[in-house]
Amino acid sequence: MARMAEVVELEAGGRSVRLSSPGKVFFPEHGYTKLDVARYYQAVAPGVLRALRERPTTLQRYPDGITGEWFYQKRAPKGMPDWIPTAHITFPSGRSADEMCPTEEAAVLWAAQYGTLTFHPWPVRRDDVDHPDELRIDLDPQPGTDYDDAARAAHELRAVLEEFGGLRGWPKTSGGRGIHVFVPIEPRWTFTQVRRAAIAVGREMERRMPERVTIKWWKEERGERIFIDYNQTARDRTIASAYSVRPRPNAPVSAPLTWDEVGVAHPRDFDITTMPARFAELGDVHAGMDDTRYSLDALLELATKDEHDHGLGDLPYPPEYPKMPGEPSRVQPSRARKKAPGPD
């Protein structure tokens, strides 16, 4: 094991990146070090860069490993090399910041030097930060459900996407119990419109799998079902990138899958020790993800039909967002009932 005082130089894409304290333990249960994390990212560099390229990216940093304090780094860190570009992004609050936008494999290793485990890219590119080029569907298991339930929902989601616009989704494990499905789209719609399309997907999934899937925002209403987190498509909400390391004891990673693997492969199969061999054998199984971009027209037509035929309008935003036009109350149902006035 490298000693804490040592420094190593790692190569990526023709650049050399300095890694200090390579022997610092980041995952105590297995003894995985900062160098182990950096070597992992070095092994899968083309894949993780494909997921991050040109995207404003928030860094989830654990400078002292997963048992220490951690934080999200939204603003580009001071001292960031000038060969790593940035993009100016605006948050729902109206504040703004410059976020790093990886364009080279070495940028990933540079972030790892500063204790970055998980990369959270925006669904936009730096040349157009107001129009997403991915529709991201987050299948989030609730208490009483597990990964296998998410996998069943994912296969039905695949059918929904195909039916409404011939969309192709690209599945990956979340690194935990969930599944993420990304659809590359034309960057023609706003965050609000993309979120509306995600809500339409969720409602169609509820109709097809009412006992297994929910789009209810309030936890007290979800039950033992897979929650389709439509608010992950709101501005400044991000999802861990493909190949990102997740801060759990066994150092799992968010693993891109083929559809044939969904429900067969399991999240426990993919960590920083197993993914490099898979990547060496198969390469990036999502390498073709950006080859075709799709239209949201059919899903937005479905949203309009839901509104006109069923009276289904907008759904609540997260609490930190400003009140949006047409948004229903953000008061959870049980509290709303308690506050209801009694008879005169």
Side-chain angles (χ1 to χ4, degrees):
M1 180 181 294
R3 293 190 305 273
M4 292 287 286
E6 291 180 344
V7 172
V8 298
E9 298 284 334
L10 300 177
E11 299 294 327
R15 292 192 188 274
S16 180
V17 178
R18 179 179 181 273
L19 191 79
S20 62
S21 302
K24 181 182 285 188
V25 175
F26 273 19
F27 293 86
E29 186 169 309
H30 293 274
Y32 301 147
T33 65
K34 181 179 181 180
L35 181 59
D36 291 326
V37 172
R39 290 288 192 199
Y40 161 75
Y41 276 124
Q42 193 175 33
V44 300
V48 69
L49 181 62
R50 188 268 310 155
L52 301 177
R53 184 180 285 111
E54 305 279 357
R55 298 189 183 281
T57 300
T58 296
L59 309 178
Q60 190 174 358
R61 293 176 54 187
Y62 290 77
D64 295 312
I66 64 169
T67 58
E69 294 185 2
W70 64 276
F71 59 96
Y72 289 108
Q73 176 98 46
K74 292 191 174 185
R75 288 170 171 76
K78 292 180 180 180
M80 190 175 72
D82 58 10
W83 48 267
I84 301 178
T86 62
H88 194 72
I89 48 90
T90 302
F91 304 117
S93 65
R95 292 180 297 176
S96 61
D98 294 321
E99 285 204 356
M100 72 175 293
C101 297
T103 56
E104 302 181 34
E105 295 175 4
V108 177
L109 295 186
W110 180 85
Q113 149 65 11
Y114 290 93
T116 299
L117 293 185
T118 308
F119 295 87
H120 295 267
W122 282 48
V124 301
R125 308 282 180 169
R126 66 189 177 107
D127 61 351
D128 185 356
V129 296
D130 293 317
H131 295 90
D133 67 349
E134 288 179 346
L135 169 65
R136 299 173 173 179
I137 308 297
D138 180 7
L139 301 175
D140 184 9
Q142 299 302 290
T145 65
D146 57 20
Y147 176 80
D148 292 333
D149 296 304
R152 282 189 287 270
H155 283 293
E156 188 62 41
L157 172 61
R158 183 186 187 187
V160 169
L161 294 173
E162 174 62 32
E163 183 174 336
F164 290 93
L167 310 181
R168 178 180 179 181
W170 298 74
K172 67 183 184 70
T173 67
S174 67
R177 299 186 305 144
I179 293 177
H180 303 150
V181 178
F182 287 9
V183 180
I185 60 174
E186 300 165 4
R188 295 197 285 122
W189 296 275
T190 65
F191 279 94
T192 301
Q193 290 170 312
V194 173
R195 178 178 174 276
R196 186 166 174 255
I199 290 172
V201 169
R203 284 176 169 151
E204 182 63 22
M205 288 287 290
E206 275 189 327
R207 285 189 282 266
R208 297 184 182 202
M209 306 179 74
E211 301 302 318
R212 294 183 177 272
V213 168
T214 183
I215 199 172
K216 298 292 187 183
W217 177 245
W218 303 109
K219 291 183 179 180
E220 65 187 32
E221 295 185 307
R222 293 177 191 170
E224 295 184 358
R225 292 179 286 183
I226 299 298
F227 172 50
I228 297 182
D229 189 354
Y230 62 89
N231 270 329
Q232 289 294 72
T233 55
R235 180 185 287 272
D236 193 34
R237 295 295 283 259
T238 56
I239 292 177
S241 77
Y243 300 103
S244 271
V245 181
R246 307 314 307 274
R248 296 182 176 89
N250 62 320
V253 302
S254 179
L257 302 175
T258 66
W259 277 109
D260 287 343
E261 292 178 304
V262 174
V264 177
H266 193 276
R268 62 175 172 265
D269 299 332
F270 309 108
D271 59 37
I272 65 171
T273 67
T274 60
M275 179 57 81
R278 172 183 168 88
F279 195 88
E281 179 183 359
L282 302 177
D284 178 14
V285 297
H286 284 189
M289 184 171 168
D290 293 327
D291 292 348
T292 303
R293 300 208 164 273
Y294 298 93
S295 170
L296 289 180
D297 287 343
L299 285 178
L300 292 174
E301 289 174 8
L302 176 62
T304 299
K305 180 179 174 64
D306 282 341
E307 291 162 5
H308 290 175
D309 295 356
H310 305 292
L312 299 173
D314 202 357
L315 293 173
Y317 274 78
E320 69 272 18
Y321 282 66
K323 186 70 174 178
M324 299 295 287
E327 181 190 357
S329 171
R330 291 187 193 172
V331 179
Q332 66 190 67
S334 59
R335 290 189 177 182
R337 288 191 295 269
K338 290 178 182 178
K339 292 181 179 180
D344 293 337

